[in-house]
């Protein structure tokens, strides 16, 4: 008989957020308001509805299970119940902040994972989070920009905490979770609070006009690697020589020419 999965303890999440992680709390300007539902189609839909009702920045739609979780590039996101984190953060950043969002969202995840577990997660360009070379978290950003007004940005984060993705045949050998990497279960409430703490600190940093690039770059596992990049229907191959200030990938082709790639999907080659 299957046990009913345990619901996320939202009282605990709010208590942890109120305490604030000591090393991140002082600088954080945002106050988080967590909107929890056990099952939703996608937390992106919930956050979009909140935004359309005029909800200010800092709302976080969280669910235990998604029946239509979405990934990047039109893919679906497997969203099993009861052990992982599925959440979407509603932000209204300046354009400067928006430009760095694809860097600071995965950075908040790798640093939050480190705060709670001590694990050293890495970022596969641009914003997949990996442990031991396997994906443990994906980030999906939907942004609306209207003239000079603050943009609306919905930052969706799917983080495999305790449900082993290897149980899903198509994810075996591709994805992992914190529990597998650490060898024990992880309190997902603590991970959620730590990621939000890091995100608030990084948002404050970029809104002050500073760059998150050095911290993001330090966690990239893509630098110096031979890669294949799918850009729409095109494929580029080469070696990653650096990332630009805006986060674009700088690739050196076999003929020595270099290109900057703003968006694409990277496969690391042996
Ligand atoms: C990726 O393809 O790597 C991005 C995956 C993003 C998944 C998260 S789970 C929470 C939020 N709701 C969704 O439907 N998608 C994002």
């Amino acid at each position: 008989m299957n046990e009913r999965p345990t619901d996320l303890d939202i009282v605990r999440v709010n208590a942890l957020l109120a305490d604030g992680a000591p090393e991140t709390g002082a600088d954080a300007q945002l106050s988080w308001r967590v909107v929890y539902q056990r099952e939703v189609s996608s937390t992106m839909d919930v956050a979009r509805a909140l935004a359309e009702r005029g909800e200010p920045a800092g709302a976080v739609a969280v669910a235990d299970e998604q029946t239509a979780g979405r990934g990047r590039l039109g893919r679906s996101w497997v969203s099993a119940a009861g052990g992982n984190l599925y959440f979407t953060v509603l932000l209204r950043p300046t354009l400067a902040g928006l430009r760095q969002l694809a860097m600071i969202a995965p950075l908040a995840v790798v640093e939050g994972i480190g705060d709670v577990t001590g694990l050293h997660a890495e970022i596969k360009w641009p914003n997949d989070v990996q442990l031991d070379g396997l994906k443990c978290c994906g980030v999906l950003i939907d942004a609306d920009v209207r003239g000079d007004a603050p943009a609306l940005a919905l930052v969706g984060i799917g983080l495999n905490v305790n449900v082993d993705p290897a149980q899903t045949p198509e994810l075996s050998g591709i994805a992992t979770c914190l529990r597998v990497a650490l060898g024990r279960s992880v309190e997902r409430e603590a991970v959620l609070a730590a990621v939000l703490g890091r995100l608030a600190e990084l948002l404050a940093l970029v809104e002050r006009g500073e760059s998150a690039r050095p911290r993001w770059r330090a966690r990239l596992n893509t630098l110096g690697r031979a890669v294949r990049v799918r850009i729409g229907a095109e494929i580029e191959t080469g070696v990653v020589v650096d990332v630009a200030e805006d986060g674009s990938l700088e690739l050196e082709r076999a003929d020595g020419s270099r290109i900057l790639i703003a968006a694409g999907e990277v496969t690391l080659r042996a």
Side-chain angles (χ1 to χ4, degrees):
M1 195 178 81
N2 285 333
E3 269 181 51
R4 187 175 181 278
T6 315
D7 293 354
L8 189 79
D9 183 347
I10 204 63
V11 174
R12 169 97 176 127
V13 173
N14 284 326
L16 289 166
L17 286 172
D19 284 352
E23 69 274 38
T24 60
D27 210 11
Q29 300 296 314
L30 269 182
S31 73
W32 299 118
R33 294 173 314 284
V34 181
V35 178
Y36 166 72
Q37 288 167 275
R38 215 184 71 72
E39 183 189 298
V40 298
S41 53
S42 159
T43 57
M44 302 305 281
D45 298 335
V46 178
R48 171 69 60 182
L50 290 171
E52 282 167 3
R53 288 206 320 246
E55 188 76 29
V60 185
V62 188
D64 273 319
E65 185 173 4
Q66 300 184 115
T67 52
R70 299 198 286 275
R72 289 173 65 223
L73 309 168
R75 299 195 181 116
S76 60
W77 185 259
V78 175
S79 305
N84 290 341
L85 285 170
Y86 312 108
F87 60 103
T88 299
V89 179
L90 192 167
L91 298 172
R92 298 189 184 275
T94 61
L95 276 184
L98 182 65
R99 284 193 196 101
Q100 296 199 48
L101 216 45
M103 292 191 266
I104 66 174
L107 184 56
V109 174
V110 296
E111 293 185 348
I113 289 172
D115 293 339
V116 176
T117 65
L119 288 168
H120 184 86
E122 295 181 316
I123 300 169
K124 192 187 88 163
W125 186 92
N127 54 24
D128 279 357
V129 176
Q130 295 191 327
L131 283 164
D132 306 320
L134 300 173
K135 182 164 172 171
C136 67
C137 171
V139 176
L140 178 67
I141 300 177
D142 277 355
D144 299 352
V145 184
R146 294 192 190 99
D148 288 339
L152 167 66
L154 304 178
V155 181
I157 296 177
L159 210 171
N160 300 333
V161 181
N162 289 311
V163 181
D164 183 1
Q167 291 168 1
T168 305
E170 67 266 28
L171 298 179
S172 179
I174 296 173
T176 189
C177 67
L178 305 191
R179 180 173 62 79
V180 168
L182 197 62
R184 62 172 169 79
S185 297
V186 176
E187 189 199 353
R188 63 193 168 130
E189 290 81 1
V191 178
L192 176 58
V195 171
L196 292 176
R198 288 289 182 178
L199 189 58
E201 182 254 324
L202 284 159
L203 283 162
L205 178 141
V206 301
E207 295 296 359
R208 282 198 307 270
E210 295 175 35
S211 173
R213 177 178 170 271
R215 268 160 75 179
W216 173 72
R217 187 180 183 281
R219 302 302 282 262
L220 274 180
N221 63 10
T222 324
L223 296 173
R225 300 285 298 267
V227 297
R228 180 173 179 272
V229 191
R230 177 181 290 280
I231 312 151
E234 279 178 43
I235 303 282
E236 289 280 355
T237 55
V239 173
V240 178
V241 286
D242 207 348
V243 279
E245 186 56 43
D246 69 355
S248 298
L249 197 72
E250 191 176 352
L251 191 75
E252 184 171 286
R253 299 182 179 112
D255 65 5
S257 61
R258 290 187 177 193
I259 49 164
L260 279 176
I261 302 171
E265 189 177 23
V266 163
T267 309
L268 301 176
R269 295 189 298 155

